[in-house]
Amino acid sequence: MQRIKCTVAYDGMNFCGYQIQPNQRTVQQEIEKALQKVHKGEPVRVQASGRTDSTVHAKGQVIHFDTPLSLTGEQWMAALNTMLPDDIVVQQAEKKTLDFHARYGVVKKEYRYRVLLSKKADVFRRHYVYQYPYALQIESIRKAIPYFIGTHDFTSFCSAKTDKKDKVRTIYELDLIEQGDELIFRFVGNGFLYNMVRIIVGTLLSVGQGKISPESIPDILKKQDRRFAGKMVPGQGLYLWEVNYNN
Amino acid sequence: MQRIKCTVAYDGMNFCGYQIQPNQRTVQQEIEKALQKVHKGEPVRVQASGRTDSTVHAKGQVIHFDTPLSLTGEQWMAALNTMLPDDIVVQQAEKKTLDFHARYGVVKKEYRYRVLLSKKADVFRRHYVYQYPYALQIESIRKAIPYFIGTHDFTSFCSAKTDKKDKVRTIYELDLIEQGDELIFRFVGNGFLYNMVRIIVGTLLSVGQGKISPESIPDILKKQDRRFAGKMVPGQGLYLWEVNYNN
């Protein structure tokens, strides 16, 4: 048996998220279907670094699977990309030892969230950004950002639907990048709770609108209550950008 | 009656081109359907600057229609964008006198063609560029470009399927823009024959591959025979960028 690690990009728009669900089109289902074809009908289970929600994109999702086949990384890439639909692309494939695990080995994850600052919809980016038509005070957003960095209990910024008990996570970096007509929020952390990035971005946009003051972020964190944070922004602006492992 | 001019952007991917065809989803059909709703069931015919083919995009297609309704440009934009599917967006709407005509009044058109220089598919640009995996000598392409500028008989660079007799057109500008991992070809002319931009780009890529010499372009033009030019590139990289009229 060989363990294969793949870095996978996908356009989330036409998927009901990453994880397999009955009667839904999911990324995991498409990858396992492709692997089954390569393995002449034998089912192959895939492990991912984590799930992504409906319409959420990935530039660098990481998965692994075990296989009796002896192919090089290049050959795995070619074989899978031939079988996969065109909204999933394997970017890299390599052999790993059996102690590599796509989920349990994660040490750092990067997410990005793209906001299009425009009153008008952009027909070519409609699936790839969140179009935001209101004026924003960028300086207020910049003041609020540092309060999120570090180790905190993020209960207030987590969907109530989660099944995770431990809500403490560490955000190493949170950058705001102004790029043309877009605002890009870049998050690097040791892990993210369910909807955490989307609720933090929604809260920062409320800060930019003057509805929440930058200085109230520490209070909202302390409340440990989802109702005190801002609205969740839509999935289509969110990208699982990169997943890092210890060597 | 008032004549309304609209500038329209659309993502061509899910359309069988601009022009109405039975049992196909087309841009014209969707716009006329939206206008019919605004006019309480009365059909409204639309005139465009020209057709675009299946999968071809528009950033600035121009259309006009006549209406008994008295709405401002802003109101037309809002009304139509509410009714239109999300792959068509009206960018601008304004009243014009009855001597304005979206097709017969055109004095200049700009098209752009985006080529992604990459061995790997980009999942987020798969509908918006032509992915080209081969090495190109950009300098050869730059040498070939000036031969296309000016007034020529473009029979060699026109689909044999055309019904136009006069194949003489003037290209005012043809620029090659290198932008990140993309090559963008920018065409400005008084009009373009059927598939002309896509055949010129295909020919320029053959020049970049060393299959056609830059100096042979004048000969290919002189032949007035489609078989001497290069292959046609796919529609998904092509954008009707802007249409200009005399004031």
Side-chain angles (χ1 to χ4, degrees):
Chain A
M1 273 303 192
Q2 285 189 325
R3 183 152 294 184
I4 307 297
K5 174 192 177 192
C6 294
T7 306
V8 181
Y10 46 84
D11 178 338
M13 206 54 211
N14 296 315
F15 291 108
C16 284
Y18 175 80
Q19 196 177 45
I20 282 188
Q21 293 176 55
N23 306 317
Q24 301 285 1
R25 184 171 187 258
T26 65
V27 178
Q28 186 185 359
Q29 173 209 51
E30 292 290 348
I31 296 174
E32 293 190 353
K33 223 197 288 176
L35 279 168
Q36 190 162 6
K37 283 183 202 159
V38 179
H39 290 82
K40 308 203 180 294
E42 286 297 312
V44 176
R45 207 78 224 223
V46 154
Q47 297 286 335
S49 73
R51 312 172 190 178
T52 53
D53 265 355
S54 174
T55 76
V56 172
H57 310 291
K59 198 167 172 292
Q61 171 69 290
V62 173
I63 60 158
H64 84 252
F65 57 89
D66 293 331
T67 176
L69 302 179
S70 283
L71 301 181
T72 65
E74 285 291 318
Q75 287 169 331
W76 274 115
M77 234 173 68
L80 287 170
N81 284 334
T82 306
M83 300 293 182
L84 284 167
D86 76 348
D87 47 0
I88 307 180
V89 174
V90 177
Q91 307 277 28
Q92 221 204 336
E94 53 179 322
K95 286 181 199 172
K96 286 285 182 184
T97 50
L98 289 173
D99 59 345
F100 173 83
H101 195 286
R103 185 169 164 207
Y104 302 124
V106 175
V107 294
K108 221 167 70 174
K109 270 188 178 179
E110 178 176 337
Y111 277 94
R112 296 198 185 182
Y113 195 92
R114 288 171 63 185
V115 178
L116 172 62
L117 298 174
S118 169
K119 289 199 199 301
K120 274 182 208 159
D122 180 323
V123 82
F124 303 111
R125 281 181 285 179
R126 70 194 190 283
H127 295 158
Y128 303 113
V129 295
Y130 169 41
Q131 183 214 338
Y132 194 78
Y134 310 111
L136 287 173
Q137 297 158 292
I138 305 292
E139 277 321 299
S140 301
I141 299 177
R142 292 203 182 277
K143 269 186 214 157
I145 282 176
Y147 294 115
F148 288 102
I149 298 172
T151 303
H152 303 282
D153 183 309
F154 283 99
T155 304
S156 298
F157 298 91
C158 172
S159 167
K161 283 184 275 174
T162 187
D163 51 1
K164 294 256 171 71
K165 291 256 163 61
D166 177 13
K167 307 281 182 33
V168 176
R169 295 290 183 279
T170 302
I171 295 183
Y172 303 121
E173 298 171 55
L174 205 180
D175 300 320
L176 179 60
I177 304 160
E178 296 177 67
Q179 192 173 288
D181 52 7
E182 293 187 20
L183 275 190
I184 302 165
F185 294 90
R186 179 178 167 273
F187 292 77
V188 181
N190 64 351
F192 293 88
L193 298 165
Y194 191 47
N195 293 336
M196 179 171 149
V197 172
R198 290 162 63 185
I199 297 168
I200 294 178
V201 171
T203 303
L204 287 170
L205 293 176
S206 290
V207 169
Q209 275 202 287
K211 290 181 180 170
I212 295 176
S213 78
E215 296 74 20
S216 66
I217 300 297
D219 292 335
I220 298 174
L221 281 163
K222 254 179 242 144
K223 294 272 197 225
Q224 302 189 9
D225 185 334
R226 168 71 187 90
R227 291 170 298 169
F228 290 90
K231 276 186 199 156
M232 177 168 90
V233 287
Q236 69 196 56
L238 184 61
Y239 295 73
L240 172 53
W241 201 262
E242 202 179 298
V243 186
N244 288 287
Y245 299 87
N246 270 334
N247 275 357
Chain B
M1 272 303 192
Q2 286 189 323
R3 184 152 294 185
I4 306 297
K5 173 193 176 191
C6 294
T7 307
V8 181
Y10 46 84
D11 178 338
M13 206 54 210
N14 296 316
F15 290 108
C16 284
Y18 175 80
Q19 195 176 47
I20 283 189
Q21 293 176 55
N23 305 316
Q24 302 285 0
R25 184 173 187 258
T26 65
V27 178
Q28 186 184 358
Q29 174 207 51
E30 293 290 348
I31 295 175
E32 293 190 355
K33 225 198 285 176
L35 278 169
Q36 190 162 7
K37 282 183 203 160
V38 178
H39 290 83
K40 307 202 180 296
E42 285 298 312
V44 176
R45 206 80 224 222
V46 153
Q47 296 287 337
S49 73
R51 311 172 190 179
T52 52
D53 265 355
S54 174
T55 77
V56 172
H57 310 291
K59 197 165 171 295
Q61 169 71 289
V62 173
I63 60 158
H64 85 251
F65 57 88
D66 294 331
T67 176
L69 303 179
S70 284
L71 301 180
T72 65
E74 285 291 318
Q75 287 169 329
W76 274 115
M77 233 172 72
L80 287 171
N81 284 335
T82 306
M83 301 292 183
L84 285 166
D86 76 347
D87 47 1
I88 306 179
V89 176
V90 176
Q91 306 276 27
Q92 223 203 334
E94 53 178 324
K95 286 180 202 174
K96 285 286 181 184
T97 51
L98 289 172
D99 59 345
F100 173 83
H101 195 287
R103 186 168 162 207
Y104 301 124
V106 176
V107 294
K108 221 166 73 173
K109 269 187 178 181
E110 178 176 337
Y111 278 94
R112 296 197 184 183
Y113 196 93
R114 290 171 62 185
V115 178
L116 172 62
L117 299 173
S118 169
K119 288 199 200 303
K120 273 182 208 157
D122 180 322
V123 83
F124 302 111
R125 281 181 285 181
R126 71 193 190 284
H127 296 159
Y128 304 113
V129 296
Y130 170 41
Q131 182 215 337
Y132 194 79
Y134 311 111
L136 287 173
Q137 296 158 291
I138 305 292
E139 277 320 299
S140 302
I141 298 178
R142 291 203 183 277
K143 269 187 214 158
I145 282 176
Y147 295 114
F148 288 102
I149 298 172
T151 302
H152 303 282
D153 183 308
F154 284 100
T155 304
S156 298
F157 297 91
C158 172
S159 168
K161 282 182 274 173
T162 187
D163 51 3
K164 294 257 171 70
K165 292 255 162 62
D166 177 14
K167 307 280 182 32
V168 176
R169 295 291 182 277
T170 303
I171 295 183
Y172 303 120
E173 298 171 55
L174 206 180
D175 300 321
L176 179 60
I177 304 160
E178 296 176 67
Q179 192 173 288
D181 52 7
E182 292 188 21
L183 275 191
I184 301 165
F185 294 91
R186 179 180 167 273
F187 292 78
V188 181
N190 65 351
F192 293 89
L193 297 165
Y194 190 47
N195 292 335
M196 177 171 150
V197 171
R198 290 161 63 184
I199 298 168
I200 295 178
V201 171
T203 303
L204 287 170
L205 294 176
S206 288
V207 169
Q209 275 203 287
K211 290 180 180 170
I212 295 176
S213 78
E215 296 75 20
S216 65
I217 300 296
D219 292 335
I220 299 174
L221 280 163
K222 253 179 245 146
K223 296 269 197 227
Q224 302 189 9
D225 185 333
R226 168 72 187 89
R227 292 169 298 169
F228 290 90
K231 276 185 199 156
M232 178 168 87
V233 288
Q236 68 196 57
L238 184 61
Y239 295 73
L240 172 53
W241 200 262
E242 202 179 298
V243 186
N244 288 287
Y245 298 86
N246 271 334
N247 275 358

